[in-house]
Amino acid sequence: MATKNTKNKILELLEKNRGESLSGEGIAKMLGMSRNAVWKSVNSLKKEGYGISSVNNRGYALLPDNDILSAAGMLPYLDNDAYASKLHIYDSLESTNKTAKEMAVSGCDHGTIVIANTQTSGKGRYKRSFYSPPDSGLYMSFVFRTEVLHFQNPSLITASVAIAVCRAIEAVSEKQPKIKWINDIFIEDKKVCGILTEAVTDFESGSIDWIVAGIGINVSNDKDDFPEELAQIAGSIFSETDKRGNKKTAARNRLAAEIINRCFELKTWLDDETVYSEYKERSMLLNRRITVTLPEGTYDATAVDVDINGHLVVRKSDGEAINLSSGQISLLQ
Ligand code: BTN
């Protein structure tokens, strides 16, 4: 029987050589195993759903649209192999934030990462649901322990994660993501990512012991994939199968790895005053007319600044400046 370890090694090799065919003999030599073991493992991977072409005499290759989330698929792109040991990847979960919070409470390590191919009950801010279809999105949650990742201000974590996701998107695509305060990421005025940061407090002391940062990204959804209520506002990084009928870009493993790399760097720049200057540079709201919705009412204003506490500064038409720590913002066309 093909072992998980052998299969992972082959998968990693195929991912590293995406687009190229590797002969069974070559793989066997590189990994120090028999050709028969390679053949068995490839067959077993195919049965699990991995798209692997095996053309006589030309060897094996990952098909361009193979986009199954796996640690082996992420490993070639991780800055540090040790990050792979933090991964918990599932086909389906209610919510990766929910599972991550449960893991935090039962004492998981700082940096534990929960990833799902789909969520049956994905959570957004303001108790909204987060649309989480399979195979085209990336849903991941990080558990940060506050004793390791010291922070003065929890909103700094949300802002830093938003920047980390933008940097990761830029690493895997030609796109220029922008941040819509507080924590949505847009490409060409369509929302491609939402971030939900939740604090888990210690019951006895009441202190915040863990932060769970959940990231939901539309990676390769077709426009028609979105339900009617999202069709006008949601987009994806690699939108639509292109007009020539090419297959969608398989990028979820690489994107996940890039996000992981950048989130593990957070520690080095979290307290850095430059976080909000980069956040500001990436903001899509500044100098734009917006509608602010608060529990007590709605008004129109112009977004003028993001201050060092991560508050959005807006100016009303009578000149009054208001400093917002929360609220829902929509763009006026
Ligand atoms: C929002 O847009 O309001 C925030 C959406 C956050 C969605 C992500 S998907 C991964 C993680 N698990 C959840 O249930 N929610 C977050």
Side-chain angles (χ1 to χ4, degrees):
M1 204 182 78
T3 66
K4 192 163 179 245
N5 204 16
T6 313
K7 286 191 286 184
N8 281 348
K9 284 185 184 158
I10 293 178
L11 206 50
E12 195 187 333
L13 198 63
L14 293 176
E15 181 70 54
K16 268 189 192 146
N17 295 280
R18 226 174 223 280
E20 283 172 44
S21 287
L22 300 178
S23 71
E25 195 180 348
I27 296 176
K29 264 197 194 137
M30 278 185 268
L31 299 179
M33 55 179 74
S34 69
R35 281 182 67 171
N36 193 37
V38 173
W39 180 81
K40 274 192 186 154
S41 297
V42 169
N43 280 347
S44 170
L45 285 166
K46 281 185 182 173
K47 277 198 194 122
E48 286 172 31
Y50 286 91
I52 299 173
S53 67
S54 40
V55 181
N56 282 347
N57 305 324
R58 272 203 279 146
Y60 304 111
L62 264 189
L63 292 173
D65 62 346
N66 177 80
D67 205 14
I68 297 180
L69 291 164
S70 70
M74 291 172 203
L75 206 49
Y77 309 111
L78 290 174
D79 287 347
N80 185 334
D81 287 1
Y83 299 163
S85 66
K86 312 264 191 188
L87 284 165
H88 300 261
I89 302 177
Y90 300 85
D91 185 44
S92 175
L93 284 179
E94 261 181 61
S95 150
T96 57
N97 266 30
K98 180 170 181 273
T99 301
K101 282 191 284 181
E102 287 162 3
M103 288 184 173
V105 171
S106 35
C108 71
D109 287 344
H110 169 78
T112 294
I113 306 156
V114 181
I115 297 184
N117 180 43
T118 182
Q119 297 181 118
T120 53
S121 190
K123 275 178 29 172
R125 291 193 305 137
Y126 301 106
K127 301 208 163 90
R128 293 194 190 117
S129 62
F130 187 79
Y131 178 63
S132 313
D135 307 326
S136 50
L138 180 60
Y139 318 106
M140 61 197 303
S141 300
F142 287 82
V143 180
F144 297 127
R145 284 192 168 265
T146 52
E147 64 188 18
V148 182
L149 198 63
H150 303 286
F151 58 89
Q152 311 297 322
N153 172 355
S155 67
L156 198 59
I157 293 212
T158 310
S160 305
V161 170
I163 293 171
V165 173
C166 286
R167 290 182 182 179
I169 292 174
E170 285 164 355
V172 303
S173 74
E174 313 267 279
K175 303 295 166 69
Q176 291 171 324
K178 294 270 175 203
I179 301 172
K180 177 171 169 280
W181 185 88
I182 296 175
N183 53 5
D184 290 336
I185 296 176
F186 276 60
I187 291 176
E188 289 155 13
D189 279 355
K190 292 269 196 273
K191 176 168 168 175
V192 300
C193 169
I195 298 169
L196 177 67
T197 312
E198 298 185 271
V200 186
T201 46
D202 179 83
F203 186 70
E204 309 252 300
S205 66
S207 63
I208 297 176
D209 283 359
W210 307 275
I211 294 278
V212 168
I215 303 163
I217 309 182
N218 306 325
V219 182
S220 60
N221 312 61
D222 275 339
K223 228 172 32 199
D224 306 337
D225 287 350
F226 294 108
E228 210 180 319
E229 67 277 14
L230 295 180
Q232 294 307 315
I233 45 172
S236 71
I237 302 177
F238 301 102
S239 50
E240 295 188 75
T241 313
D242 78 29
K243 300 285 177 288
R244 285 156 301 174
N246 288 344
K247 298 257 169 62
K248 292 177 189 177
T249 313
R252 291 191 304 165
N253 282 318
R254 175 145 185 243
L255 179 63
E258 296 288 353
I259 293 173
I260 293 165
N261 292 336
R262 280 155 182 85
C263 282
F264 278 107
E265 287 166 8
L266 284 183
K267 209 167 167 233
T268 58
W269 53 279
L270 192 65
D271 286 326
D272 193 330
E273 282 173 13
T274 59
V275 168
Y276 277 117
S277 63
E278 179 165 349
Y279 184 94
K280 239 162 90 167
E281 272 165 35
R282 293 181 175 278
S283 171
M284 66 182 275
L285 291 182
L286 298 191
N287 303 317
R288 291 180 77 171
R289 295 283 297 154
I290 56 172
T291 300
V292 179
T293 305
L294 300 169
E296 56 273 21
T298 293
Y299 58 85
D300 292 347
T302 303
V304 291
D305 198 8
V306 178
D307 71 14
I308 51 159
N309 299 310
H311 295 172
L312 182 70
V313 185
V314 303
R315 194 175 300 283
K316 286 169 117 176
S317 43
D318 61 6
E320 183 191 359
I322 297 178
N323 201 303
L324 296 169
S325 61
S326 65
Q328 294 185 67
I329 307 295
S330 50
L331 281 167
L332 281 167
Q333 291 311 319

